[in-house]
């Protein structure tokens, strides 16, 4: 304690005031609610107050059960969302692979079609040459 306060109060006076304050708080004329918080529960175990406490405790237990169920549901929902996200990523990857493969296949089919058209054109030219060349040679001779 700073010296200026020690001049006016000694240690016994300070300690005594704490005891007297406690005594004033725990006097017999205090409310029952205050007594419950200062001294703890007392009195009969069964009665209207105990029924109220039991009723409130039952409500608290119900709320706890509901909250535990809600937490469980939220955790399960999170797991399902994780699974759904994994599936959607897999589906996206598969869609990209399918798109790339389809473009590659389209190009292959286009080249195959071009090759087929070139072959048909060469065959047509060859047939025409086989038909036209003898006719031209017959007229020239």
């Amino acid at each position: 304690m700073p010296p200026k306060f020690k001049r006016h109060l000694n240690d016994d006076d300070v300690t005594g005031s704490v005891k007297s304050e406690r005594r004033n708080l725990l006097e017999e004329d205090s409310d029952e609610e205050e007594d419950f918080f200062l001294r703890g529960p007392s009195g009969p175990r069964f009665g209207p107050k105990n029924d109220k406490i039991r009723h409130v405790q039952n409500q608290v237990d119900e709320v706890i059960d509901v909250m535990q169920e809600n937490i469980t549901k939220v955790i399960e929902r999170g797991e399902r969302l994780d699974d759904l996200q994994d599936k959607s990523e897999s589906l996206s990857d598969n869609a990209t692979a399918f798109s790339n493969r389809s473009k590659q296949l389209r190009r292959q089919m286009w080249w195959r079609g071009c090759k087929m058209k070139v072959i048909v054109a060469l065959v047509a030219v060859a047939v025409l040459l086989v038909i036209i060349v003898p006719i031209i040679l017959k007229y020239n001779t």
Side-chain angles (χ1 to χ4, degrees):
M1 225 185 247
K4 109 177 176 183
F5 292 115
K6 283 192 174 185
R7 276 186 264 148
H8 299 289
L9 296 173
N10 59 23
D11 289 338
D12 292 335
D13 292 337
V14 174
T15 307
S17 67
V18 173
K19 290 179 183 175
S20 66
E21 187 175 343
R22 177 184 244 174
R23 199 174 326 110
N24 288 338
L25 286 173
L26 296 175
E27 284 181 350
E28 293 299 320
D29 63 346
S30 64
D31 291 335
E32 290 181 21
E33 289 179 15
E34 290 177 2
D35 287 347
F36 176 79
F37 291 107
L38 294 174
R39 294 184 183 169
S42 62
R45 292 285 179 189
F46 302 103
K49 288 188 178 183
N50 197 19
D51 289 341
K52 288 181 184 178
I53 292 172
R54 196 173 317 131
H55 178 69
V56 170
Q57 183 63 43
N58 288 340
Q59 287 179 336
V60 169
D61 291 341
E62 289 176 14
V63 169
I64 289 172
D65 290 341
V66 169
M67 291 304 295
Q68 287 175 343
E69 288 176 19
N70 288 343
I71 289 171
T72 303
K73 288 178 182 178
V74 166
I75 290 171
E76 289 173 356
R77 181 177 176 262
E79 290 172 356
R80 286 194 312 264
L81 286 175
D82 289 341
D83 291 344
L84 185 60
Q85 185 175 2
D86 292 343
K87 288 179 183 178
S88 68
E89 288 174 0
S90 174
L91 186 60
S92 176
D93 293 342
N94 288 340
T96 302
F98 177 79
S99 176
N100 292 338
R101 180 69 179 130
S102 66
K103 288 177 186 176
Q104 183 182 12
L105 186 61
R106 186 179 310 138
R107 283 188 210 114
Q108 285 179 351
M109 296 306 290
W110 183 80
W111 277 112
R112 189 175 289 171
C114 286
K115 288 177 187 176
M116 187 60 79
K117 289 176 185 175
V118 168
I119 291 172
V120 168
L122 288 176
V123 168
V125 169
V127 168
L128 285 176
L129 286 176
V130 168
I131 295 173
I132 296 178
V133 168
I135 295 176
I136 294 178
L137 288 177
K138 225 181 192 191
Y139 284 120
N140 285 341
T141 48

